[in-house]
Amino acid sequence: MTSAALAARLSVPSGPLFFPVTAYGPDGDGAAVDLDTYRAHVRRGVEAGAAAVFACCGTGEFHALAPEEFEACVAAAVEAAEGRVPVIAGAGYGTALAVHYARLAERAGADGLLAMPPYLVVAGQEGLLRHYTQLAEATSLDVIVYQRDNAVFTPETVVEFARHPKILGLKDGLGDLDLMQRIVSAVRSEAPDADFLYFNGLPTAELTGLAYRGIGITLYSSAVFCFAPDIAQAFHKALNTGDDATANKLLDGFYRPLVELRNQGKGYAVSLVKAGVRLRGLDVGEVRPPLQEPTGEHVKQLTDLIERGQALLESAEGGAA
Protein backbone atom coordinates (compact mmCIF):
# COMPACT_ATOMS: atom_id res chain seq x y z
CA MET A 1 0.00 0.00 0.00
CA THR A 2 1.34 3.44 -0.87
CA SER A 3 1.80 6.15 1.73
CA ALA A 4 -0.83 8.32 0.06
CA ALA A 5 -3.34 5.49 0.13
CA LEU A 6 -2.87 4.71 3.81
CA ALA A 7 -2.83 8.38 4.78
CA ALA A 8 -6.05 8.90 2.87
CA ARG A 9 -7.71 5.98 4.68
CA LEU A 10 -6.69 7.35 8.07
CA SER A 11 -7.18 11.07 7.51
CA VAL A 12 -11.01 11.22 7.61
CA PRO A 13 -11.99 8.27 9.77
CA SER A 14 -15.54 6.97 10.01
CA GLY A 15 -14.99 6.10 13.65
CA PRO A 16 -12.38 5.88 16.41
CA LEU A 17 -9.02 4.20 15.91
CA PHE A 18 -9.21 0.77 17.54
CA PHE A 19 -6.35 -0.60 19.66
CA PRO A 20 -7.47 -4.13 20.53
CA VAL A 21 -6.25 -5.94 23.61
CA THR A 22 -4.38 -9.18 23.05
CA ALA A 23 -6.35 -12.25 24.13
CA TYR A 24 -4.76 -14.97 26.25
CA GLY A 25 -6.08 -18.32 27.41
CA PRO A 26 -7.26 -19.11 30.96
CA ASP A 27 -4.03 -20.53 32.36
CA GLY A 28 -2.70 -17.51 34.26
CA ASP A 29 0.81 -16.16 33.72
CA GLY A 30 1.73 -18.97 31.34
CA ALA A 31 -1.33 -18.58 29.14
CA ALA A 32 -0.82 -18.76 25.41
CA VAL A 33 -2.22 -16.25 22.95
CA ASP A 34 -5.84 -17.10 22.12
CA LEU A 35 -6.06 -16.29 18.43
CA ASP A 36 -9.70 -17.29 18.02
CA THR A 37 -10.82 -14.87 20.75
CA TYR A 38 -8.47 -12.21 19.40
CA ARG A 39 -10.02 -12.53 15.93
CA ALA A 40 -13.47 -12.21 17.48
CA HIS A 41 -12.39 -9.08 19.37
CA VAL A 42 -10.95 -7.47 16.24
CA ARG A 43 -13.96 -8.49 14.15
CA ARG A 44 -16.38 -6.98 16.68
CA GLY A 45 -14.44 -3.72 16.63
CA VAL A 46 -14.46 -3.48 12.86
CA GLU A 47 -18.17 -4.26 12.73
CA ALA A 48 -18.80 -1.60 15.40
CA GLY A 49 -17.29 1.06 13.12
CA ALA A 50 -13.57 1.25 13.86
CA ALA A 51 -11.70 3.23 11.24
CA ALA A 52 -8.47 1.25 11.67
CA VAL A 53 -7.03 -1.57 13.76
CA PHE A 54 -3.75 -0.94 15.60
CA ALA A 55 -2.64 -4.45 16.50
CA CYS A 56 -0.09 -5.36 19.17
CA CYS A 57 0.56 -1.81 20.29
CA GLY A 58 0.45 -0.43 23.85
CA THR A 59 -3.05 -1.61 24.76
CA GLY A 60 -2.23 -4.87 22.98
CA GLU A 61 0.75 -5.54 25.29
CA PHE A 62 3.44 -5.38 22.60
CA HIS A 63 6.04 -5.54 25.36
CA ALA A 64 4.75 -8.94 26.53
CA LEU A 65 4.67 -10.73 23.17
CA ALA A 66 7.35 -13.01 21.80
CA PRO A 67 8.15 -12.36 18.12
CA GLU A 68 6.26 -15.43 16.90
CA GLU A 69 3.21 -14.43 18.97
CA PHE A 70 3.38 -10.91 17.59
CA GLU A 71 3.43 -12.15 14.00
CA ALA A 72 0.55 -14.55 14.64
CA CYS A 73 -1.56 -11.80 16.22
CA VAL A 74 -0.92 -9.34 13.41
CA ALA A 75 -1.85 -12.00 10.86
CA ALA A 76 -5.02 -12.77 12.85
CA ALA A 77 -5.95 -9.07 12.91
CA VAL A 78 -5.43 -8.83 9.15
CA GLU A 79 -7.60 -11.92 8.67
CA ALA A 80 -10.37 -10.56 10.91
CA ALA A 81 -10.33 -7.10 9.35
CA GLU A 82 -10.75 -8.63 5.87
CA GLY A 83 -9.46 -5.48 4.18
CA ARG A 84 -12.37 -3.40 5.45
CA VAL A 85 -10.04 -1.13 7.42
CA PRO A 86 -6.24 -0.85 7.53
CA VAL A 87 -4.24 -2.80 10.10
CA ILE A 88 -1.27 -1.03 11.66
CA ALA A 89 1.14 -3.06 13.81
CA GLY A 90 3.43 -1.97 16.61
CA ALA A 91 7.21 -2.01 16.29
CA GLY A 92 9.67 -1.07 18.99
CA TYR A 93 12.79 -1.67 21.12
CA GLY A 94 16.22 -0.81 19.67
CA THR A 95 16.69 -0.28 15.96
CA ALA A 96 17.64 -3.87 15.10
CA LEU A 97 14.68 -5.38 16.95
CA ALA A 98 12.29 -2.70 15.72
CA VAL A 99 13.30 -3.56 12.17
CA HIS A 100 12.81 -7.25 12.93
CA TYR A 101 9.28 -6.66 14.22
CA ALA A 102 8.55 -4.41 11.24
CA ARG A 103 9.51 -7.21 8.86
CA LEU A 104 7.37 -9.68 10.79
CA ALA A 105 4.44 -7.26 10.51
CA GLU A 106 5.03 -6.87 6.78
CA ARG A 107 5.09 -10.65 6.35
CA ALA A 108 1.86 -10.92 8.36
CA GLY A 109 0.09 -8.56 5.96
CA ALA A 110 -0.04 -5.31 7.95
CA ASP A 111 -0.70 -2.04 6.13
CA GLY A 112 1.55 0.12 8.28
CA LEU A 113 3.56 0.46 11.48
CA LEU A 114 3.24 2.38 14.73
CA ALA A 115 6.85 2.99 15.80
CA MET A 116 7.01 3.00 19.58
CA PRO A 117 9.82 4.58 21.63
CA PRO A 118 13.23 2.88 21.65
CA TYR A 119 13.86 0.68 24.63
CA LEU A 120 15.19 2.39 27.78
CA VAL A 121 17.75 4.79 26.31
CA VAL A 122 17.34 8.56 26.25
CA ALA A 123 18.72 9.65 22.89
CA GLY A 124 19.37 12.99 21.23
CA GLN A 125 17.44 14.23 18.24
CA GLU A 126 20.05 13.07 15.71
CA GLY A 127 19.99 9.53 17.07
CA LEU A 128 16.20 9.44 17.17
CA LEU A 129 16.04 10.66 13.58
CA ARG A 130 18.45 7.92 12.48
CA HIS A 131 16.48 5.28 14.38
CA TYR A 132 13.11 6.13 12.83
CA THR A 133 14.59 6.69 9.39
CA GLN A 134 16.19 3.24 9.40
CA LEU A 135 12.95 1.70 10.57
CA ALA A 136 10.97 3.48 7.85
CA GLU A 137 13.37 2.29 5.18
CA ALA A 138 13.49 -1.34 6.33
CA THR A 139 10.16 -2.44 4.79
CA SER A 140 7.53 -1.34 2.31
CA LEU A 141 5.24 -0.29 5.18
CA ASP A 142 4.48 3.30 6.09
CA VAL A 143 5.25 4.49 9.59
CA ILE A 144 3.53 6.55 12.28
CA VAL A 145 6.00 7.73 14.93
CA TYR A 146 4.82 7.60 18.54
CA GLN A 147 5.98 10.49 20.75
CA ARG A 148 6.07 9.73 24.47
CA ASP A 149 8.40 8.97 27.39
CA ASN A 150 11.96 8.88 26.04
CA ALA A 151 11.02 9.76 22.44
CA VAL A 152 10.17 13.47 22.47
CA PHE A 153 10.88 15.44 19.31
CA THR A 154 11.68 19.02 18.45
CA PRO A 155 9.65 20.68 15.69
CA GLU A 156 12.75 20.50 13.48
CA THR A 157 12.96 16.71 13.86
CA VAL A 158 9.27 16.29 13.04
CA VAL A 159 9.77 18.42 9.91
CA GLU A 160 12.39 15.86 8.83
CA PHE A 161 9.93 13.06 9.56
CA ALA A 162 7.28 14.81 7.47
CA ARG A 163 9.70 15.14 4.55
CA HIS A 164 10.39 11.39 4.57
CA PRO A 165 8.20 9.60 2.02
CA LYS A 166 7.58 6.61 4.34
CA ILE A 167 6.71 8.48 7.55
CA LEU A 168 3.11 9.62 7.36
CA GLY A 169 2.31 10.90 10.84
CA LEU A 170 3.02 11.56 14.49
CA LYS A 171 1.05 10.11 17.41
CA ASP A 172 1.40 12.25 20.52
CA GLY A 173 1.35 10.51 23.88
CA LEU A 174 3.13 13.34 25.69
CA GLY A 175 0.33 15.89 26.01
CA ASP A 176 2.38 19.07 25.65
CA LEU A 177 0.00 21.22 23.60
CA ASP A 178 2.51 24.05 23.33
CA LEU A 179 5.01 21.67 21.71
CA MET A 180 2.35 20.15 19.47
CA GLN A 181 1.23 23.57 18.24
CA ARG A 182 4.83 24.44 17.39
CA ILE A 183 5.26 21.10 15.61
CA VAL A 184 2.08 21.59 13.56
CA SER A 185 3.15 25.12 12.67
CA ALA A 186 6.69 24.11 11.71
CA VAL A 187 5.53 21.27 9.44
CA ARG A 188 2.90 23.50 7.84
CA SER A 189 5.53 26.17 7.15
CA GLU A 190 8.58 24.08 6.24
CA ALA A 191 7.06 20.95 4.68
CA PRO A 192 3.89 22.34 3.09
CA ASP A 193 3.60 19.53 0.56
CA ALA A 194 3.74 16.77 3.17
CA ASP A 195 0.55 14.78 3.65
CA PHE A 196 1.35 14.50 7.36
CA LEU A 197 -1.13 13.30 9.99
CA TYR A 198 -1.33 13.94 13.72
CA PHE A 199 -2.93 11.68 16.33
CA ASN A 200 -3.84 12.30 19.95
CA GLY A 201 -2.36 9.23 21.61
CA LEU A 202 -2.85 10.04 25.27
CA PRO A 203 -4.46 7.36 27.46
CA THR A 204 -8.23 7.90 27.31
CA ALA A 205 -7.64 10.43 24.55
CA GLU A 206 -11.27 11.55 24.56
CA LEU A 207 -10.59 13.54 27.74
CA THR A 208 -8.30 15.89 25.80
CA GLY A 209 -10.15 15.65 22.48
CA LEU A 210 -11.64 19.14 22.60
CA ALA A 211 -8.24 20.66 23.43
CA TYR A 212 -6.50 18.81 20.59
CA ARG A 213 -9.28 19.77 18.21
CA GLY A 214 -8.40 23.37 19.02
CA ILE A 215 -5.00 22.96 17.32
CA GLY A 216 -6.44 20.98 14.43
CA ILE A 217 -5.83 17.41 15.68
CA THR A 218 -8.98 15.30 15.53
CA LEU A 219 -7.54 11.80 15.00
CA TYR A 220 -7.15 9.83 18.22
CA SER A 221 -6.78 6.37 19.67
CA SER A 222 -9.70 5.12 21.75
CA ALA A 223 -9.14 2.52 24.45
CA VAL A 224 -12.81 2.86 25.45
CA PHE A 225 -13.77 1.56 22.01
CA CYS A 226 -12.42 -1.85 23.12
CA PHE A 227 -15.20 -2.33 25.68
CA ALA A 228 -17.81 0.36 25.02
CA PRO A 229 -17.83 1.05 21.27
CA ASP A 230 -21.25 2.70 21.39
CA ILE A 231 -20.04 5.30 23.90
CA ALA A 232 -16.81 5.82 21.95
CA GLN A 233 -18.73 6.24 18.69
CA ALA A 234 -21.11 8.77 20.24
CA PHE A 235 -18.22 10.85 21.51
CA HIS A 236 -16.40 10.59 18.17
CA LYS A 237 -19.47 11.83 16.33
CA ALA A 238 -19.96 14.69 18.78
CA LEU A 239 -16.31 15.75 18.53
CA ASN A 240 -16.30 15.74 14.74
CA THR A 241 -19.64 17.50 14.29
CA GLY A 242 -19.00 20.22 16.86
CA ASP A 243 -21.68 18.89 19.19
CA ASP A 244 -19.88 20.10 22.30
CA ALA A 245 -22.97 19.68 24.50
CA THR A 246 -22.97 15.90 23.95
CA ALA A 247 -19.18 15.73 24.18
CA ASN A 248 -19.17 17.57 27.49
CA LYS A 249 -22.01 15.42 28.87
CA LEU A 250 -19.96 12.28 28.14
CA LEU A 251 -16.78 13.92 29.46
CA ASP A 252 -18.40 14.94 32.74
CA GLY A 253 -20.41 11.80 33.36
CA PHE A 254 -18.20 9.06 31.93
CA TYR A 255 -14.72 9.94 30.68
CA ARG A 256 -13.50 12.10 33.59
CA PRO A 257 -14.58 9.52 36.21
CA LEU A 258 -13.02 6.79 34.06
CA VAL A 259 -9.69 8.62 33.97
CA GLU A 260 -9.84 9.13 37.73
CA LEU A 261 -10.42 5.39 38.12
CA ARG A 262 -7.65 4.58 35.64
CA ASN A 263 -5.24 6.67 37.71
CA GLN A 264 -5.87 4.51 40.79
CA GLY A 265 -3.52 1.77 39.62
CA LYS A 266 -0.25 1.36 37.74
CA GLY A 267 -0.80 -0.13 34.31
CA TYR A 268 -4.57 0.38 34.42
CA ALA A 269 -4.41 2.00 30.97
CA VAL A 270 -4.13 -1.63 29.81
CA SER A 271 -5.46 -3.89 32.57
CA LEU A 272 -8.62 -1.85 33.24
CA VAL A 273 -9.40 -1.86 29.52
CA LYS A 274 -8.95 -5.61 29.41
CA ALA A 275 -11.26 -5.98 32.41
CA GLY A 276 -13.81 -3.89 30.52
CA VAL A 277 -13.67 -6.23 27.54
CA ARG A 278 -14.32 -9.19 29.84
CA LEU A 279 -17.23 -7.36 31.47
CA ARG A 280 -18.83 -6.96 28.05
CA GLY A 281 -18.82 -10.73 27.49
CA LEU A 282 -15.55 -11.61 25.72
CA ASP A 283 -13.02 -13.53 27.82
CA VAL A 284 -9.69 -12.12 26.64
CA GLY A 285 -7.84 -13.38 29.71
CA GLU A 286 -5.73 -11.39 32.13
CA VAL A 287 -2.74 -9.16 31.48
CA ARG A 288 0.72 -10.65 31.49
CA PRO A 289 3.30 -9.57 34.07
CA PRO A 290 4.73 -7.16 34.90
CA LEU A 291 1.22 -5.67 34.58
CA GLN A 292 -1.35 -6.72 37.15
CA GLU A 293 -5.12 -6.98 37.27
CA PRO A 294 -7.29 -4.23 38.76
CA THR A 295 -8.77 -4.86 42.19
CA GLY A 296 -12.26 -6.27 42.57
CA GLU A 297 -13.52 -2.93 43.87
CA HIS A 298 -12.09 -1.10 40.85
CA VAL A 299 -13.73 -3.61 38.49
CA LYS A 300 -17.03 -2.95 40.27
CA GLN A 301 -16.53 0.79 39.78
CA LEU A 302 -15.81 0.17 36.11
CA THR A 303 -19.05 -1.82 35.82
CA ASP A 304 -20.97 1.09 37.32
CA LEU A 305 -19.26 3.56 34.99
CA ILE A 306 -20.15 1.55 31.90
CA GLU A 307 -23.77 1.48 33.05
CA ARG A 308 -23.66 5.24 33.63
CA GLY A 309 -22.24 5.78 30.15
CA GLN A 310 -25.01 3.69 28.64
CA ALA A 311 -27.61 5.74 30.53
CA LEU A 312 -26.06 8.96 29.24
CA LEU A 313 -26.37 7.65 25.67
CA GLU A 314 -30.00 6.75 26.22
CA SER A 315 -30.79 10.19 27.63
CA ALA A 316 -28.99 11.90 24.75
CA GLU A 317 -30.89 9.82 22.20
CA GLY A 318 -34.17 10.58 23.99
CA GLY A 319 -33.42 14.27 23.93
CA ALA A 320 -32.60 14.15 20.22
CA ALA A 321 -35.91 12.41 19.51
Side-chain angles (χ1 to χ4, degrees):
M1 175 175 290
T2 65
S3 177
L6 182 55
R9 295 181 78 184
L10 292 172
S11 60
V12 188
S14 56
L17 304 176
F18 176 33
F19 285 66
V21 301
T22 297
Y24 306 125
D27 301 324
D29 290 351
V33 171
D34 183 345
L35 293 177
D36 287 340
T37 301
Y38 184 66
R39 289 187 194 94
H41 180 42
V42 172
R43 192 175 298 114
R44 287 185 186 185
V46 173
E47 291 170 353
V53 174
F54 284 71
C56 305
C57 297
T59 309
E61 297 180 77
F62 172 80
H63 68 278
L65 296 173
E68 61 273 14
E69 294 176 316
F70 167 85
E71 184 177 7
C73 284
V74 174
V78 171
E79 179 184 349
E82 298 179 321
R84 291 172 288 179
V85 298
V87 175
I88 292 89
Y93 303 120
T95 306
L97 272 177
V99 166
H100 178 60
Y101 277 92
R103 289 172 175 160
L104 293 177
E106 181 179 40
R107 190 166 69 186
D111 298 295
L113 300 169
L114 177 64
M116 290 179 285
Y119 172 71
L120 195 60
V121 296
V122 178
Q125 295 297 299
E126 180 182 351
L128 289 169
L129 184 58
R130 289 176 58 203
H131 170 78
Y132 291 104
T133 298
Q134 289 182 34
L135 176 58
E137 294 173 353
T139 74
S140 66
L141 302 180
D142 302 310
V143 175
I144 299 165
V145 176
Y146 193 179
Q147 169 169 267
R148 60 174 293 170
D149 301 324
N150 59 326
V152 178
F153 311 110
T154 64
E156 293 76 16
T157 297
V158 180
V159 167
E160 292 305 311
F161 289 156
R163 288 172 174 164
H164 195 288
K166 298 293 297 303
I167 300 177
L168 63 80
L170 177 73
K171 179 183 179 186
D172 179 48
L174 182 66
D176 185 337
L177 286 175
D178 176 273
L179 174 60
M180 284 306 298
Q181 179 64 83
R182 289 186 287 115
I183 285 172
V184 170
S185 176
V187 172
R188 185 169 57 228
S189 300
E190 299 174 35
D193 296 328
D195 187 14
F196 201 67
L197 303 178
Y198 302 95
F199 305 80
N200 175 358
L202 290 170
T204 319
E206 288 91 344
L207 192 70
T208 53
L210 293 171
Y212 273 78
R213 189 184 68 185
I215 61 172
I217 299 173
T218 57
L219 302 172
Y220 63 91
S221 55
S222 177
V224 168
F225 188 86
C226 286
F227 62 87
D230 47 356
I231 298 173
Q233 281 283 31
F235 183 87
H236 183 270
K237 180 180 178 181
L239 182 69
N240 285 281
T241 60
D243 181 4
D244 290 356
T246 297
N248 283 326
K249 179 182 288 189
L250 290 171
L251 285 171
D252 296 345
F254 176 76
Y255 283 104
R256 178 177 57 82
L258 177 65
V259 168
E260 291 170 351
L261 176 59
R262 185 200 71 206
N263 291 343
Q264 294 302 305
K266 296 289 187 183
Y268 273 20
V270 178
S271 62
L272 199 68
V273 173
K274 208 161 193 180
V277 177
R278 294 196 301 269
L279 286 172
R280 300 308 295 273
L282 189 64
D283 188 359
V284 290
E286 299 184 351
V287 291
R288 284 178 172 175
L291 295 178
Q292 63 189 47
E293 288 296 302
T295 67
E297 174 57 28
H298 288 159
V299 172
K300 180 181 182 300
Q301 291 178 36
L302 179 61
T303 303
D304 294 341
L305 268 176
I306 293 172
E307 292 177 357
R308 184 189 305 177
Q310 298 291 331
L312 286 170
L313 287 189
E314 292 174 7
S315 67
E317 291 169 358

